[in-house]
């Protein structure tokens, strides 16, 4: 036996382990393959962002999401400066509107009247916050501008089996009034949300759980670690309860609901961002408790999702998948060392893009990557009327970006 070689191996092993000073949890190796042909077959030969991109309201900073109130000709954007911005299309003007306790992220209107806004708010990497600046779900009255916290604490749970989908019979449900210091914890990262047709149920994604979790640069270590502790929660307004719907997935991010003819949610679509997948999980009906991977080996980090008037699904690809990420996910034993490196040393692609899917989410309709020269870090593609809007999750970004819907143009044929 070569004792010298064995000793050197253990020294290297303990060195690698000790490098992960932030104790980022590391998942199993995950093999990534080639981009699927059905996506490559709809990849655009020319880059529409170079010719068709329009930039309005240059005061608007980089933002994570945008929602539209067409009746009043306004929109709201969740700015990376900590403010929700109000966009007035009649005056072509963007102004700071409401500052949330921590940085606003995903947003939706709470009802069809659009007089209340639901916003996920989380810490942003590199920023400082006070102890009373709480992560969570907030509701904003558009008339009074009153901000009300709805969910800032969550039940404590144990690590589940991988890809856990709760059935009604075993669903962890807590009345909010019963949460206390012993059975609850702070909301780690409220990222995105979806609202049921009747407005009574709000679904919230929590991509990962750790102390001082944050978006942006704070999420990069989790993207490397690939540990499956992403969760989906459901807040029932009528019951004033919170339920754990999904657990044991990796970085649950964007979400869309799918309902039956009675407007009851039967399944959820979500992006498992750092595994480069889009998944459908069944939360009711005869398939309850099952899930299917609709798309894997995506060309980049799929972030938020939105539907257009025809039901087509638009996905923001915030960053292109790199060969380095392929290698790391295939060799998880290297991740402790990589996690010790300053983020500025990590090779991060400048390319960003969009992917459009059919209403059943199974068929790719359109795909393009942009070199990052006109816009960076597309967090979601939001259709409104005949245009697609592109929130840019970049502090250096300035303006509201959009272009004509490529599915309605000759360029998509």
């Amino acid at each position: 036996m070569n004792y010298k070689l064995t000793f050197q191996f253990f020294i290297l092993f303990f060195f690698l382990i000790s490098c992960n000073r932030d104790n980022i949890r590391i998942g199993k190796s995950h093999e990534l393959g080639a981009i699927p042909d059905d996506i490559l077959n709809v990849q655009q030969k020319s880059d529409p962002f170079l010719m068709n991109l329009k930039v309005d309201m240059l005061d608007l900073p980089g933002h994570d999401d945008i929602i539209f109130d067409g009746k009043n000709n306004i929109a709201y954007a969740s700015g990376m400066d900590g403010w929700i911005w109000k966009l007035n299309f009649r005056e072509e003007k963007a102004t700071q509107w409401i500052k949330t306790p921590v940085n606003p992220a995903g947003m939706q209107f709470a009802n069809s009247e659009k007089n209340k806004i639901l916003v996920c708010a989380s810490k942003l990497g590199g920023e400082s916050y006070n102890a009373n600046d709480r992560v969570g779900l907030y509701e904003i009255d558009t008339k009074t501008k009153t901000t009300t916290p709805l969910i800032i604490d969550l039940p404590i749970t144990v690590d589940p089996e991988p890809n856990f989908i709760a059935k009604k019979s075993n669903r962890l449900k807590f009345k909010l009034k019963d949460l206390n210091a012993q059975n609850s914890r702070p909301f780690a990262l409220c990222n995105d949300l979806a609202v049921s047709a009747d407005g009574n149920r709000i679904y919230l994604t929590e991509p990962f759980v750790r102390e001082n979790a944050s978006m942006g640069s704070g999420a990069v270590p989790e993207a490397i670690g690939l540990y499956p502790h992403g969760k989906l929660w459901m807040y029932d307004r009528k019951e004033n309860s919170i339920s754990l719907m999904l657990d044991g997935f990796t970085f649950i991010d964007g979400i869309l609901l799918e309902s039956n003819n009675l407007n009851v949610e039967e399944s959820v679509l979500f992006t498992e961002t750092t595994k480069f997948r889009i998944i459908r999980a069944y939360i009711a009906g005869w398939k309850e408790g099952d899930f299917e991977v609709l798309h894997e080996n995506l060309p980049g980090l799929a972030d938020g999702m939105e539907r257009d008037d025809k039901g087509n699904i638009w996905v923001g690809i915030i960053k292109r998948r790199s060969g380095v990420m392929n290698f790391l996910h295939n060799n998880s034993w290297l991740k402790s060392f990589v996690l010790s490196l300053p983020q500025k040393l990590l090779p991060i692609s400048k390319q960003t893009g969009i992917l459009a899917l059919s209403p059943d989410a199974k068929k790719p309709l359109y795909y393009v990557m942009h070199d990052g020269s006109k816009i960076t870090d597309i967090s979601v593609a939001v259709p409104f009327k005949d245009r697609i809007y592109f929130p840019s999750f970049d502090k250096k970004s300035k303006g509201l970006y959009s272009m004509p819907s490529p599915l309605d143009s000759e360029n998509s044929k």
Side-chain angles (χ1 to χ4, degrees):
M1 182 176 182
N2 191 330
Y3 289 99
K4 183 177 181 180
L5 183 60
T6 302
F7 177 75
Q8 291 174 337
F9 171 79
F10 277 108
I11 290 295
L12 175 62
F13 175 77
F14 284 113
F15 170 74
L16 292 176
I17 294 298
S18 65
C19 286
N20 186 4
R21 296 177 182 176
D22 293 330
N23 296 316
I24 302 300
R25 302 175 80 178
I26 296 175
K28 297 179 180 179
S29 293
H30 177 72
E31 185 173 353
L32 291 168
I35 300 171
D37 288 339
D38 61 351
I39 292 179
L40 293 177
N41 289 340
V42 296
Q43 184 173 11
Q44 302 305 293
K45 296 180 180 179
S46 59
D47 183 348
F49 290 95
L50 297 177
M51 296 182 295
N52 301 332
L53 190 68
K54 182 181 179 183
V55 187
D56 297 308
M57 304 189 193
L58 296 178
D59 289 333
L60 179 66
H63 50 289
D64 183 65
D65 202 0
I66 184 171
I67 54 176
F68 291 88
D69 179 356
K71 180 180 178 180
N72 294 303
N73 214 12
I74 58 177
Y76 301 91
S78 49
M80 295 183 72
D81 61 347
W83 287 78
I84 295 177
W85 284 65
K86 189 173 183 178
L87 314 182
N88 188 317
F89 289 94
R90 291 190 182 95
E91 300 177 0
E92 296 186 0
K93 184 178 180 181
T95 55
Q96 288 180 333
W97 183 58
I98 285 178
K99 189 173 180 62
T100 50
V102 287
N103 208 82
M107 297 191 300
Q108 293 290 341
F109 288 107
N111 52 43
S112 58
E113 289 79 19
K114 298 187 177 181
N115 57 13
K116 291 185 178 180
I117 294 173
L118 295 165
V119 56
C120 270
S122 291
K123 296 175 182 178
L124 184 64
E127 301 293 332
S128 299
Y129 299 93
N130 297 322
N132 58 348
D133 297 332
R134 298 293 304 277
V135 171
L137 173 68
Y138 292 83
E139 185 171 62
I140 301 171
D141 188 306
T142 61
K143 302 296 184 183
T144 65
K145 299 175 69 172
T146 304
T147 301
T148 304
L150 298 182
I151 304 290
I152 55 176
D153 291 302
L154 293 169
I156 293 174
T157 59
V158 298
D159 280 358
E161 60 189 59
N163 304 327
F164 173 76
I165 301 168
K167 296 182 178 181
K168 289 183 180 179
S169 59
N170 65 351
R171 194 168 290 167
L172 176 66
K173 180 188 292 187
F174 275 77
K175 296 284 188 179
L176 294 189
K177 64 181 180 62
D178 294 332
L179 294 179
N180 54 51
Q182 285 69 48
N183 64 12
S184 69
R185 61 169 174 83
F187 209 137
L189 186 72
C190 188
N191 192 75
D192 204 359
L193 71 156
V195 185
S196 64
D198 60 10
N200 289 330
R201 293 167 301 284
I202 304 167
Y203 294 78
L204 306 161
T205 62
E206 189 178 34
F208 55 90
V209 180
R210 63 179 168 88
E211 190 175 357
N212 296 321
S214 59
M215 302 185 295
S217 60
V220 171
E222 293 292 335
I224 295 171
L226 209 68
Y227 190 82
H229 52 162
K231 304 179 190 328
L232 176 69
W233 298 92
M234 188 268 284
Y235 169 48
D236 190 307
R237 303 194 75 148
K238 280 190 172 182
E239 296 184 356
N240 200 30
S241 66
I242 189 78
S243 300
L244 181 63
M245 307 296 291
L246 306 178
D247 203 350
F249 288 89
T250 304
F251 214 104
I252 297 178
D253 198 330
I255 178 179
L256 293 174
L257 302 180
E258 298 178 311
S259 303
N260 59 22
N261 294 333
L262 300 176
N263 279 334
V264 175
E265 305 85 64
E266 285 198 340
S267 57
V268 294
L269 292 174
F270 64 92
T271 55
E272 199 178 21
T273 299
T274 56
K275 266 192 176 176
F276 303 92
R277 306 200 299 187
I278 297 175
I279 292 176
R280 172 178 284 125
Y282 295 92
I283 58 175
W286 66 279
K287 286 187 176 182
E288 183 186 23
D290 292 337
F291 77 97
E292 57 182 322
V293 178
L294 299 173
H295 302 280
E296 57 186 340
N297 300 314
L298 291 171
L301 295 163
D303 198 328
M305 299 187 291
E306 292 290 346
R307 287 189 184 272
D308 62 23
D309 291 339
K310 297 177 182 178
N312 299 316
I313 298 166
W314 293 86
V315 186
I317 306 293
I318 195 165
K319 289 290 186 185
R320 182 182 66 85
R321 174 157 61 105
S322 68
V324 171
M325 191 61 73
N326 292 346
F327 182 77
L328 281 178
H329 283 352
N330 292 350
N331 298 274
S332 61
W333 62 276
L334 281 171
K335 291 184 177 182
S336 287
F337 170 71
V338 173
L339 286 167
S340 72
L341 300 175
Q343 284 191 26
K344 63 182 180 181
L345 296 181
L346 301 177
I348 298 176
S349 173
K350 293 183 179 180
Q351 294 187 44
T352 189
I354 56 174
L355 171 68
L357 304 172
S358 59
D360 63 2
K362 293 185 177 181
K363 180 182 178 182
L365 303 176
Y366 183 93
Y367 161 61
V368 69
M369 292 300 292
H370 169 59
D371 62 10
S373 61
K374 298 291 185 179
I375 182 174
T376 58
D377 298 344
I378 296 173
S379 57
V380 62
V382 183
F384 180 65
K385 295 184 177 180
D386 59 349
R387 302 187 71 80
I388 308 295
Y389 292 80
F390 308 103
S392 174
F393 196 69
D394 180 0
K395 285 186 176 181
K396 298 178 181 179
S397 175
K398 290 292 181 182
L400 176 66
Y401 298 89
S402 71
M403 69 180 181
S405 174
L407 290 185
D408 297 330
S409 70
E410 291 298 319
N411 292 334
S412 65
K413 296 181 179 179

